[in-house]
Amino acid sequence: MFVSIIIFFAVIFPLLMNNKKKGLIISMCLLFILFGLEYDIVVDWDYNLERWNIANNPSEVKNYGVNTDLLYQLILKIFKPITFYGWLMLSAIIELYVIYKFTIKFVPPRYYWITIFILMMRVYWGFMIINSNRQSIALILTMCSLLILLKISYSKPLKLQIKTLMLSIGLLIACFFIHSSAAFAILLIPIYFLLRILGKLKTKYIVLIFNIIYFSRYFINSETLQGLILGYWGSFGSESYIGYIKEMEEMDFQNSFFEQFFNWILITTSAFCFKRMSKVCQLFSVCYVVSLFFQTLFGANIQRVMIYLSIYAIFMIPNLVMIINNTIKNSKKLIPYALYGLMIGFCVMSYCKYVYWSPSGNYYKWKNYTSIFQAPTWK
């Protein structure tokens, strides 16, 4: 219940305060309690601690067989003086700051609360970031890489554009040495440049393309695609991808009808509103559509890989709500209200399902929040 109360007020402050920016700051401070102060709640807690010990306390390694990518291990060594708990707090500050910057930069102030609501209630974003320290650091750095990529201006000299692009790609490559799954974040580059073509199409063709991408998964041999993707992953020399191959062999297509219907509504609505979106929101929209294509082919754990693209939905959806509110006349508001109700209901069900209704799932321990100040010893 404590966690639910924290999330409730984190949403309420940017919703009700007149100064939306201050409300968002308060919201981030509240979320820090969950992101930076939790103790042994996340599924990956032992693995996060094990990687810290591999880097800094070899005598305490318990031989869980975890992999520690080179750059991540170096980062942990650098921050050894602040201790493991200090590192988790610093990581939380960095993660929340980047999310805050994206929200301030790309979300209308009136709709900040929607970003926070979706981030935390749709558990495979907020709670997944908290769960995997290594992947969350890689994710945040790929988001920084995208910020650099967005600085490319075609009005500037070509040499400067190439430098900016190389800097963005360089940061993406560095992320791979933190978490090998970040190899898939390279999709941000072609998506960014393909937008120039997509943005010139008529709305009906955008709707058609989005739906073809989304529904094509029903007609694709998922085993073949999984093999190709993991072969690509393995070509980077990462050993950790072998475990994902085994997981894919054991997992089936695991998406509920309600979830598929919700996602279809979302991408189709974003396609109809595509021409009214800013260029950045168009990019976020395409990233989400591409992520859905891959997510629905894989098991739940493999979906973590696509968080490098799907995370941008938390910034795209508030803009979608704004466009709908500004476009539809008052006499026809019933339709968007129904969509908003669907979105809220879907997110609440997702939260309840994973936190309260799945006692053997990845997030059930959040029902009984414990902070690092309650830990037996300081690590």
PDB file of all heavy atoms in Angstrom, residues 51 55 67-79 87 133-134 137-138 141 170-180 182:
ATOM      1  N   ARG A  51      27.218  -8.117  -9.014  1.00  0.00           N
ATOM      2  CA  ARG A  51      28.064  -7.371  -9.958  1.00  0.00           C
ATOM      3  C   ARG A  51      28.893  -6.314  -9.227  1.00  0.00           C
ATOM      4  O   ARG A  51      30.036  -6.050  -9.594  1.00  0.00           O
ATOM      5  CB  ARG A  51      27.200  -6.733 -11.045  1.00  0.00           C
ATOM      6  CG  ARG A  51      26.580  -7.756 -11.992  1.00  0.00           C
ATOM      7  CD  ARG A  51      25.866  -7.101 -13.159  1.00  0.00           C
ATOM      8  NE  ARG A  51      25.351  -8.114 -14.067  1.00  0.00           N
ATOM      9  CZ  ARG A  51      24.129  -8.604 -14.044  1.00  0.00           C
ATOM     10  NH1 ARG A  51      23.253  -8.135 -13.147  1.00  0.00           N
ATOM     11  NH2 ARG A  51      23.748  -9.524 -14.900  1.00  0.00           N
ATOM     12  N   ALA A  55      33.118  -6.337  -8.974  1.00  0.00           N
ATOM     13  CA  ALA A  55      33.960  -5.178  -9.282  1.00  0.00           C
ATOM     14  C   ALA A  55      34.751  -4.687  -8.078  1.00  0.00           C
ATOM     15  O   ALA A  55      35.901  -4.266  -8.218  1.00  0.00           O
ATOM     16  CB  ALA A  55      33.088  -4.038  -9.828  1.00  0.00           C
ATOM     17  N   ASN A  67      26.959 -12.106 -15.648  1.00  0.00           N
ATOM     18  CA  ASN A  67      27.917 -11.451 -16.538  1.00  0.00           C
ATOM     19  C   ASN A  67      28.018  -9.978 -16.176  1.00  0.00           C
ATOM     20  O   ASN A  67      27.019  -9.349 -15.827  1.00  0.00           O
ATOM     21  CB  ASN A  67      27.468 -11.581 -17.997  1.00  0.00           C
ATOM     22  CG  ASN A  67      27.466 -13.026 -18.465  1.00  0.00           C
ATOM     23  OD1 ASN A  67      28.491 -13.702 -18.397  1.00  0.00           O
ATOM     24  ND2 ASN A  67      26.318 -13.501 -18.927  1.00  0.00           N
ATOM     25  N   THR A  68      29.212  -9.444 -16.247  1.00  0.00           N
ATOM     26  CA  THR A  68      29.422  -8.026 -15.979  1.00  0.00           C
ATOM     27  C   THR A  68      30.167  -7.413 -17.154  1.00  0.00           C
ATOM     28  O   THR A  68      31.344  -7.724 -17.376  1.00  0.00           O
ATOM     29  CB  THR A  68      30.235  -7.810 -14.689  1.00  0.00           C
ATOM     30  OG1 THR A  68      29.589  -8.461 -13.608  1.00  0.00           O
ATOM     31  CG2 THR A  68      30.364  -6.329 -14.383  1.00  0.00           C
ATOM     32  N   ASP A  69      29.480  -6.600 -17.922  1.00  0.00           N
ATOM     33  CA  ASP A  69      30.102  -6.002 -19.099  1.00  0.00           C
ATOM     34  C   ASP A  69      31.201  -5.030 -18.689  1.00  0.00           C
ATOM     35  O   ASP A  69      31.163  -4.419 -17.615  1.00  0.00           O
ATOM     36  CB  ASP A  69      29.038  -5.301 -19.950  1.00  0.00           C
ATOM     37  CG  ASP A  69      28.063  -6.300 -20.567  1.00  0.00           C
ATOM     38  OD1 ASP A  69      28.428  -6.917 -21.562  1.00  0.00           O
ATOM     39  OD2 ASP A  69      26.952  -6.456 -20.022  1.00  0.00           O
ATOM     40  N   LEU A  70      32.178  -4.890 -19.568  1.00  0.00           N
ATOM     41  CA  LEU A  70      33.431  -4.209 -19.260  1.00  0.00           C
ATOM     42  C   LEU A  70      33.245  -2.796 -18.728  1.00  0.00           C
ATOM     43  O   LEU A  70      33.764  -2.436 -17.672  1.00  0.00           O
ATOM     44  CB  LEU A  70      34.322  -4.188 -20.508  1.00  0.00           C
ATOM     45  CG  LEU A  70      35.706  -3.541 -20.361  1.00  0.00           C
ATOM     46  CD1 LEU A  70      36.540  -4.315 -19.343  1.00  0.00           C
ATOM     47  CD2 LEU A  70      36.415  -3.488 -21.703  1.00  0.00           C
ATOM     48  N   LEU A  71      32.487  -1.976 -19.453  1.00  0.00           N
ATOM     49  CA  LEU A  71      32.334  -0.573 -19.062  1.00  0.00           C
ATOM     50  C   LEU A  71      31.551  -0.445 -17.761  1.00  0.00           C
ATOM     51  O   LEU A  71      31.862   0.404 -16.916  1.00  0.00           O
ATOM     52  CB  LEU A  71      31.642   0.209 -20.183  1.00  0.00           C
ATOM     53  CG  LEU A  71      31.489   1.716 -19.960  1.00  0.00           C
ATOM     54  CD1 LEU A  71      32.825   2.371 -19.654  1.00  0.00           C
ATOM     55  CD2 LEU A  71      30.832   2.375 -21.174  1.00  0.00           C
ATOM     56  N   TYR A  72      30.545  -1.284 -17.591  1.00  0.00           N
ATOM     57  CA  TYR A  72      29.768  -1.253 -16.357  1.00  0.00           C
ATOM     58  C   TYR A  72      30.647  -1.591 -15.158  1.00  0.00           C
ATOM     59  O   TYR A  72      30.556  -0.961 -14.100  1.00  0.00           O
ATOM     60  CB  TYR A  72      28.603  -2.245 -16.457  1.00  0.00           C
ATOM     61  CG  TYR A  72      27.687  -2.236 -15.247  1.00  0.00           C
ATOM     62  CD1 TYR A  72      26.855  -1.152 -14.991  1.00  0.00           C
ATOM     63  CD2 TYR A  72      27.648  -3.316 -14.369  1.00  0.00           C
ATOM     64  CE1 TYR A  72      26.010  -1.140 -13.890  1.00  0.00           C
ATOM     65  CE2 TYR A  72      26.806  -3.311 -13.264  1.00  0.00           C
ATOM     66  CZ  TYR A  72      25.991  -2.218 -13.032  1.00  0.00           C
ATOM     67  OH  TYR A  72      25.165  -2.213 -11.934  1.00  0.00           O
ATOM     68  N   GLN A  73      31.516  -2.576 -15.311  1.00  0.00           N
ATOM     69  CA  GLN A  73      32.419  -2.952 -14.234  1.00  0.00           C
ATOM     70  C   GLN A  73      33.365  -1.804 -13.888  1.00  0.00           C
ATOM     71  O   GLN A  73      33.638  -1.530 -12.722  1.00  0.00           O
ATOM     72  CB  GLN A  73      33.226  -4.191 -14.627  1.00  0.00           C
ATOM     73  CG  GLN A  73      34.039  -4.780 -13.479  1.00  0.00           C
ATOM     74  CD  GLN A  73      34.616  -6.132 -13.825  1.00  0.00           C
ATOM     75  OE1 GLN A  73      34.477  -6.613 -14.943  1.00  0.00           O
ATOM     76  NE2 GLN A  73      35.286  -6.758 -12.877  1.00  0.00           N
ATOM     77  N   LEU A  74      33.833  -1.103 -14.919  1.00  0.00           N
ATOM     78  CA  LEU A  74      34.711   0.043 -14.693  1.00  0.00           C
ATOM     79  C   LEU A  74      33.971   1.154 -13.946  1.00  0.00           C
ATOM     80  O   LEU A  74      34.527   1.773 -13.020  1.00  0.00           O
ATOM     81  CB  LEU A  74      35.226   0.576 -16.040  1.00  0.00           C
ATOM     82  CG  LEU A  74      36.110   1.833 -15.991  1.00  0.00           C
ATOM     83  CD1 LEU A  74      37.372   1.569 -15.163  1.00  0.00           C
ATOM     84  CD2 LEU A  74      36.471   2.296 -17.393  1.00  0.00           C
ATOM     85  N   ILE A  75      32.717   1.408 -14.322  1.00  0.00           N
ATOM     86  CA  ILE A  75      31.914   2.429 -13.640  1.00  0.00           C
ATOM     87  C   ILE A  75      31.744   2.080 -12.167  1.00  0.00           C
ATOM     88  O   ILE A  75      31.869   2.948 -11.288  1.00  0.00           O
ATOM     89  CB  ILE A  75      30.539   2.575 -14.334  1.00  0.00           C
ATOM     90  CG1 ILE A  75      30.710   3.176 -15.733  1.00  0.00           C
ATOM     91  CG2 ILE A  75      29.607   3.461 -13.497  1.00  0.00           C
ATOM     92  CD1 ILE A  75      29.438   3.173 -16.563  1.00  0.00           C
ATOM     93  N   LEU A  76      31.450   0.812 -11.891  1.00  0.00           N
ATOM     94  CA  LEU A  76      31.279   0.388 -10.501  1.00  0.00           C
ATOM     95  C   LEU A  76      32.563   0.575  -9.694  1.00  0.00           C
ATOM     96  O   LEU A  76      32.520   0.967  -8.520  1.00  0.00           O
ATOM     97  CB  LEU A  76      30.834  -1.076 -10.447  1.00  0.00           C
ATOM     98  CG  LEU A  76      29.446  -1.400 -11.018  1.00  0.00           C
ATOM     99  CD1 LEU A  76      29.126  -2.874 -10.827  1.00  0.00           C
ATOM    100  CD2 LEU A  76      28.363  -0.535 -10.387  1.00  0.00           C
ATOM    101  N   LYS A  77      33.687   0.312 -10.313  1.00  0.00           N
ATOM    102  CA  LYS A  77      34.974   0.503  -9.627  1.00  0.00           C
ATOM    103  C   LYS A  77      35.197   1.970  -9.292  1.00  0.00           C
ATOM    104  O   LYS A  77      35.689   2.315  -8.207  1.00  0.00           O
ATOM    105  CB  LYS A  77      36.118  -0.019 -10.506  1.00  0.00           C
ATOM    106  CG  LYS A  77      36.234  -1.541 -10.556  1.00  0.00           C
ATOM    107  CD  LYS A  77      37.410  -1.958 -11.405  1.00  0.00           C
ATOM    108  CE  LYS A  77      37.553  -3.480 -11.447  1.00  0.00           C
ATOM    109  NZ  LYS A  77      37.962  -4.019 -10.129  1.00  0.00           N
ATOM    110  N   ILE A  78      34.834   2.849 -10.224  1.00  0.00           N
ATOM    111  CA  ILE A  78      35.026   4.286 -10.017  1.00  0.00           C
ATOM    112  C   ILE A  78      34.208   4.773  -8.823  1.00  0.00           C
ATOM    113  O   ILE A  78      34.663   5.604  -8.032  1.00  0.00           O
ATOM    114  CB  ILE A  78      34.634   5.066 -11.295  1.00  0.00           C
ATOM    115  CG1 ILE A  78      35.635   4.775 -12.420  1.00  0.00           C
ATOM    116  CG2 ILE A  78      34.554   6.569 -11.009  1.00  0.00           C
ATOM    117  CD1 ILE A  78      35.227   5.352 -13.759  1.00  0.00           C
ATOM    118  N   PHE A  79      33.003   4.220  -8.674  1.00  0.00           N
ATOM    119  CA  PHE A  79      32.105   4.693  -7.614  1.00  0.00           C
ATOM    120  C   PHE A  79      32.161   3.837  -6.347  1.00  0.00           C
ATOM    121  O   PHE A  79      31.273   3.937  -5.499  1.00  0.00           O
ATOM    122  CB  PHE A  79      30.674   4.774  -8.149  1.00  0.00           C
ATOM    123  CG  PHE A  79      30.457   5.903  -9.122  1.00  0.00           C
ATOM    124  CD1 PHE A  79      30.455   5.667 -10.491  1.00  0.00           C
ATOM    125  CD2 PHE A  79      30.303   7.206  -8.670  1.00  0.00           C
ATOM    126  CE1 PHE A  79      30.278   6.705 -11.389  1.00  0.00           C
ATOM    127  CE2 PHE A  79      30.126   8.249  -9.558  1.00  0.00           C
ATOM    128  CZ  PHE A  79      30.113   7.998 -10.926  1.00  0.00           C
ATOM    129  N   TRP A  87      25.617   3.950  -4.625  1.00  0.00           N
ATOM    130  CA  TRP A  87      25.549   3.818  -6.082  1.00  0.00           C
ATOM    131  C   TRP A  87      24.110   3.706  -6.557  1.00  0.00           C
ATOM    132  O   TRP A  87      23.725   4.317  -7.563  1.00  0.00           O
ATOM    133  CB  TRP A  87      26.357   2.609  -6.525  1.00  0.00           C
ATOM    134  CG  TRP A  87      26.073   2.153  -7.920  1.00  0.00           C
ATOM    135  CD1 TRP A  87      25.501   0.988  -8.316  1.00  0.00           C
ATOM    136  CD2 TRP A  87      26.341   2.885  -9.137  1.00  0.00           C
ATOM    137  NE1 TRP A  87      25.381   0.922  -9.683  1.00  0.00           N
ATOM    138  CE2 TRP A  87      25.892   2.086 -10.213  1.00  0.00           C
ATOM    139  CE3 TRP A  87      26.899   4.136  -9.415  1.00  0.00           C
ATOM    140  CZ2 TRP A  87      25.994   2.490 -11.537  1.00  0.00           C
ATOM    141  CZ3 TRP A  87      26.998   4.543 -10.741  1.00  0.00           C
ATOM    142  CH2 TRP A  87      26.549   3.723 -11.779  1.00  0.00           C
ATOM    143  N   ASN A 133      19.636  -2.469 -12.554  1.00  0.00           N
ATOM    144  CA  ASN A 133      20.514  -1.299 -12.487  1.00  0.00           C
ATOM    145  C   ASN A 133      21.383  -1.175 -13.727  1.00  0.00           C
ATOM    146  O   ASN A 133      21.540  -0.092 -14.288  1.00  0.00           O
ATOM    147  CB  ASN A 133      21.383  -1.378 -11.241  1.00  0.00           C
ATOM    148  CG  ASN A 133      22.341  -0.212 -11.125  1.00  0.00           C
ATOM    149  OD1 ASN A 133      23.515  -0.324 -11.466  1.00  0.00           O
ATOM    150  ND2 ASN A 133      21.852   0.919 -10.651  1.00  0.00           N
ATOM    151  N   ARG A 134      21.933  -2.286 -14.161  1.00  0.00           N
ATOM    152  CA  ARG A 134      22.840  -2.264 -15.315  1.00  0.00           C
ATOM    153  C   ARG A 134      22.109  -1.835 -16.577  1.00  0.00           C
ATOM    154  O   ARG A 134      22.580  -0.960 -17.317  1.00  0.00           O
ATOM    155  CB  ARG A 134      23.448  -3.665 -15.484  1.00  0.00           C
ATOM    156  CG  ARG A 134      24.529  -3.785 -16.541  1.00  0.00           C
ATOM    157  CD  ARG A 134      25.259  -5.111 -16.416  1.00  0.00           C
ATOM    158  NE  ARG A 134      24.346  -6.236 -16.532  1.00  0.00           N
ATOM    159  CZ  ARG A 134      24.383  -7.136 -17.522  1.00  0.00           C
ATOM    160  NH1 ARG A 134      25.280  -7.013 -18.485  1.00  0.00           N
ATOM    161  NH2 ARG A 134      23.540  -8.148 -17.533  1.00  0.00           N
ATOM    162  N   ILE A 137      20.985   1.947 -16.501  1.00  0.00           N
ATOM    163  CA  ILE A 137      22.061   2.896 -16.820  1.00  0.00           C
ATOM    164  C   ILE A 137      22.275   2.952 -18.328  1.00  0.00           C
ATOM    165  O   ILE A 137      22.426   4.034 -18.922  1.00  0.00           O
ATOM    166  CB  ILE A 137      23.369   2.503 -16.099  1.00  0.00           C
ATOM    167  CG1 ILE A 137      23.214   2.640 -14.583  1.00  0.00           C
ATOM    168  CG2 ILE A 137      24.531   3.354 -16.597  1.00  0.00           C
ATOM    169  CD1 ILE A 137      22.915   4.043 -14.113  1.00  0.00           C
ATOM    170  N   ALA A 138      22.267   1.779 -18.977  1.00  0.00           N
ATOM    171  CA  ALA A 138      22.406   1.733 -20.434  1.00  0.00           C
ATOM    172  C   ALA A 138      21.248   2.462 -21.104  1.00  0.00           C
ATOM    173  O   ALA A 138      21.436   3.223 -22.063  1.00  0.00           O
ATOM    174  CB  ALA A 138      22.478   0.284 -20.908  1.00  0.00           C
ATOM    175  N   LEU A 141      21.543   6.272 -20.847  1.00  0.00           N
ATOM    176  CA  LEU A 141      22.580   6.790 -21.747  1.00  0.00           C
ATOM    177  C   LEU A 141      22.123   6.753 -23.207  1.00  0.00           C
ATOM    178  O   LEU A 141      22.500   7.625 -23.994  1.00  0.00           O
ATOM    179  CB  LEU A 141      23.879   6.011 -21.567  1.00  0.00           C
ATOM    180  CG  LEU A 141      24.606   6.257 -20.240  1.00  0.00           C
ATOM    181  CD1 LEU A 141      25.870   5.406 -20.144  1.00  0.00           C
ATOM    182  CD2 LEU A 141      24.964   7.742 -20.081  1.00  0.00           C
ATOM    183  N   GLY A 170      28.535   6.888 -31.092  1.00  0.00           N
ATOM    184  CA  GLY A 170      29.587   6.496 -30.154  1.00  0.00           C
ATOM    185  C   GLY A 170      29.041   6.216 -28.763  1.00  0.00           C
ATOM    186  O   GLY A 170      29.444   5.246 -28.106  1.00  0.00           O
ATOM    187  N   LEU A 171      28.100   7.044 -28.332  1.00  0.00           N
ATOM    188  CA  LEU A 171      27.497   6.836 -27.014  1.00  0.00           C
ATOM    189  C   LEU A 171      26.639   5.562 -27.008  1.00  0.00           C
ATOM    190  O   LEU A 171      26.629   4.812 -26.027  1.00  0.00           O
ATOM    191  CB  LEU A 171      26.645   8.047 -26.634  1.00  0.00           C
ATOM    192  CG  LEU A 171      26.059   8.060 -25.213  1.00  0.00           C
ATOM    193  CD1 LEU A 171      27.150   7.846 -24.168  1.00  0.00           C
ATOM    194  CD2 LEU A 171      25.331   9.379 -24.949  1.00  0.00           C
ATOM    195  N   LEU A 172      25.955   5.289 -28.126  1.00  0.00           N
ATOM    196  CA  LEU A 172      25.173   4.058 -28.234  1.00  0.00           C
ATOM    197  C   LEU A 172      26.075   2.827 -28.151  1.00  0.00           C
ATOM    198  O   LEU A 172      25.735   1.832 -27.504  1.00  0.00           O
ATOM    199  CB  LEU A 172      24.386   4.038 -29.553  1.00  0.00           C
ATOM    200  CG  LEU A 172      23.178   4.956 -29.661  1.00  0.00           C
ATOM    201  CD1 LEU A 172      22.576   4.880 -31.056  1.00  0.00           C
ATOM    202  CD2 LEU A 172      22.129   4.614 -28.617  1.00  0.00           C
ATOM    203  N   ILE A 173      27.214   2.906 -28.803  1.00  0.00           N
ATOM    204  CA  ILE A 173      28.158   1.781 -28.764  1.00  0.00           C
ATOM    205  C   ILE A 173      28.690   1.585 -27.346  1.00  0.00           C
ATOM    206  O   ILE A 173      28.822   0.450 -26.867  1.00  0.00           O
ATOM    207  CB  ILE A 173      29.320   2.016 -29.757  1.00  0.00           C
ATOM    208  CG1 ILE A 173      28.796   1.983 -31.196  1.00  0.00           C
ATOM    209  CG2 ILE A 173      30.428   0.979 -29.564  1.00  0.00           C
ATOM    210  CD1 ILE A 173      29.813   2.377 -32.243  1.00  0.00           C
ATOM    211  N   ALA A 174      28.964   2.690 -26.660  1.00  0.00           N
ATOM    212  CA  ALA A 174      29.442   2.593 -25.278  1.00  0.00           C
ATOM    213  C   ALA A 174      28.398   1.912 -24.393  1.00  0.00           C
ATOM    214  O   ALA A 174      28.747   1.131 -23.494  1.00  0.00           O
ATOM    215  CB  ALA A 174      29.765   3.985 -24.739  1.00  0.00           C
ATOM    216  N   CYS A 175      27.131   2.178 -24.667  1.00  0.00           N
ATOM    217  CA  CYS A 175      26.052   1.566 -23.878  1.00  0.00           C
ATOM    218  C   CYS A 175      26.065   0.049 -23.988  1.00  0.00           C
ATOM    219  O   CYS A 175      25.704  -0.658 -23.039  1.00  0.00           O
ATOM    220  CB  CYS A 175      24.691   2.099 -24.335  1.00  0.00           C
ATOM    221  SG  CYS A 175      24.426   3.833 -23.935  1.00  0.00           S
ATOM    222  N   PHE A 176      26.495  -0.453 -25.146  1.00  0.00           N
ATOM    223  CA  PHE A 176      26.564  -1.905 -25.333  1.00  0.00           C
ATOM    224  C   PHE A 176      27.527  -2.539 -24.337  1.00  0.00           C
ATOM    225  O   PHE A 176      27.321  -3.682 -23.906  1.00  0.00           O
ATOM    226  CB  PHE A 176      27.002  -2.218 -26.762  1.00  0.00           C
ATOM    227  CG  PHE A 176      27.313  -3.671 -26.988  1.00  0.00           C
ATOM    228  CD1 PHE A 176      26.290  -4.592 -27.156  1.00  0.00           C
ATOM    229  CD2 PHE A 176      28.624  -4.120 -27.015  1.00  0.00           C
ATOM    230  CE1 PHE A 176      26.574  -5.943 -27.353  1.00  0.00           C
ATOM    231  CE2 PHE A 176      28.913  -5.464 -27.209  1.00  0.00           C
ATOM    232  CZ  PHE A 176      27.884  -6.375 -27.375  1.00  0.00           C
ATOM    233  N   PHE A 177      28.568  -1.817 -23.936  1.00  0.00           N
ATOM    234  CA  PHE A 177      29.555  -2.357 -22.999  1.00  0.00           C
ATOM    235  C   PHE A 177      29.117  -2.168 -21.539  1.00  0.00           C
ATOM    236  O   PHE A 177      29.859  -2.503 -20.622  1.00  0.00           O
ATOM    237  CB  PHE A 177      30.919  -1.714 -23.245  1.00  0.00           C
ATOM    238  CG  PHE A 177      31.512  -2.090 -24.575  1.00  0.00           C
ATOM    239  CD1 PHE A 177      31.438  -1.232 -25.657  1.00  0.00           C
ATOM    240  CD2 PHE A 177      32.109  -3.330 -24.753  1.00  0.00           C
ATOM    241  CE1 PHE A 177      31.964  -1.583 -26.890  1.00  0.00           C
ATOM    242  CE2 PHE A 177      32.639  -3.694 -25.971  1.00  0.00           C
ATOM    243  CZ  PHE A 177      32.559  -2.822 -27.057  1.00  0.00           C
ATOM    244  N   ILE A 178      27.913  -1.617 -21.381  1.00  0.00           N
ATOM    245  CA  ILE A 178      27.280  -1.589 -20.061  1.00  0.00           C
ATOM    246  C   ILE A 178      26.264  -2.711 -19.966  1.00  0.00           C
ATOM    247  O   ILE A 178      26.225  -3.451 -18.994  1.00  0.00           O
ATOM    248  CB  ILE A 178      26.606  -0.218 -19.815  1.00  0.00           C
ATOM    249  CG1 ILE A 178      27.664   0.882 -19.762  1.00  0.00           C
ATOM    250  CG2 ILE A 178      25.792  -0.247 -18.514  1.00  0.00           C
ATOM    251  CD1 ILE A 178      27.085   2.274 -19.634  1.00  0.00           C
ATOM    252  N   HIS A 179      25.416  -2.831 -21.002  1.00  0.00           N
ATOM    253  CA  HIS A 179      24.457  -3.933 -21.087  1.00  0.00           C
ATOM    254  C   HIS A 179      24.333  -4.303 -22.559  1.00  0.00           C
ATOM    255  O   HIS A 179      23.999  -3.462 -23.390  1.00  0.00           O
ATOM    256  CB  HIS A 179      23.101  -3.512 -20.517  1.00  0.00           C
ATOM    257  CG  HIS A 179      22.205  -4.672 -20.208  1.00  0.00           C
ATOM    258  ND1 HIS A 179      21.572  -5.401 -21.185  1.00  0.00           N
ATOM    259  CD2 HIS A 179      21.835  -5.241 -19.024  1.00  0.00           C
ATOM    260  CE1 HIS A 179      20.841  -6.358 -20.622  1.00  0.00           C
ATOM    261  NE2 HIS A 179      20.984  -6.282 -19.308  1.00  0.00           N
ATOM    262  N   SER A 180      24.599  -5.559 -22.876  1.00  0.00           N
ATOM    263  CA  SER A 180      24.675  -5.973 -24.279  1.00  0.00           C
ATOM    264  C   SER A 180      23.371  -5.770 -25.031  1.00  0.00           C
ATOM    265  O   SER A 180      23.365  -5.613 -26.251  1.00  0.00           O
ATOM    266  CB  SER A 180      25.106  -7.439 -24.379  1.00  0.00           C
ATOM    267  OG  SER A 180      24.220  -8.271 -23.657  1.00  0.00           O
ATOM    268  N   ALA A 182      21.695  -3.252 -25.224  1.00  0.00           N
ATOM    269  CA  ALA A 182      21.673  -1.902 -25.794  1.00  0.00           C
ATOM    270  C   ALA A 182      22.049  -1.896 -27.273  1.00  0.00           C
ATOM    271  O   ALA A 182      21.913  -0.872 -27.948  1.00  0.00           O
ATOM    272  CB  ALA A 182      22.616  -0.977 -25.014  1.00  0.00           C
TER     273      ALA A 182
END
